[in-house]
Amino acid sequence: VQLQASGGGLVQPGGSLRLSCAASGGSIYSIDYKGWYRQAPGKQRELVASLGRGGYINYADSVKGRFSISRDNAKGPLYLQMNGLKSEDTAVYFCNADLCGSSWCTNDVWGQGTQVTVSS
């Protein structure tokens, strides 16, 4: 069972991208998405947007008003809509979740990451 992040690419400043994250490879009973993170070259991984209990959403100050995190349903993909992209948004973006099958759970599962490059 793994998380697959997709939707990254090369975009000009001011452009938009929509990232997706989904679980695959096994029988999933529940997915508790934690959120989206990113890691730029030479920097530590940082939180971009998180989902908490009861639908609480938190955004990094640097992306507030530009990025939006959402999901379709309890097992559906996790999305990150990114608008007004800036060069400083260039990074590898990762999703994170706790996954459970009928008889197992694995916490803090990371997707393999998708590269976002903002450049003219």
Side-chain angles (χ1 to χ4, degrees):
V1 177
Q2 60 182 355
L3 287 177
Q4 182 100 14
S6 60
L10 174 63
V11 63
Q12 292 186 341
S16 298
L17 283 173
R18 189 194 196 199
L19 306 184
S20 299
C21 173
S24 64
S27 180
I28 305 296
Y29 179 76
S30 67
I31 303 173
D32 183 13
Y33 286 112
K34 300 294 187 61
W36 287 96
Y37 295 74
R38 67 186 180 188
Q39 188 167 15
K43 295 187 177 181
Q44 290 192 342
R45 190 171 297 186
E46 63 175 1
L47 173 70
V48 176
S50 63
L51 288 173
R53 299 286 182 185
Y56 178 77
I57 294 176
N58 182 50
Y59 293 100
D61 288 341
S62 59
V63 307
K64 283 181 180 177
R66 300 187 298 122
F67 290 11
S68 178
I69 188 172
S70 64
R71 60 186 301 180
D72 285 342
N73 52 57
K75 291 188 181 181
L78 179 71
Y79 300 106
L80 183 69
Q81 178 67 43
M82 305 187 296
N83 300 324
L85 283 161
K86 305 176 181 180
S87 58
E88 51 262 44
D89 295 319
T90 295
V92 179
Y93 284 70
F94 301 87
C95 52
N96 179 266
D98 295 341
L99 304 178
C100 288
S102 60
S103 60
W104 58 267
C105 283
T106 302
N107 294 332
D108 283 327
V109 178
W110 291 94
Q112 89 287 359
T114 185
Q115 176 70 48
V116 172
T117 302
V118 185
S119 175
S120 55

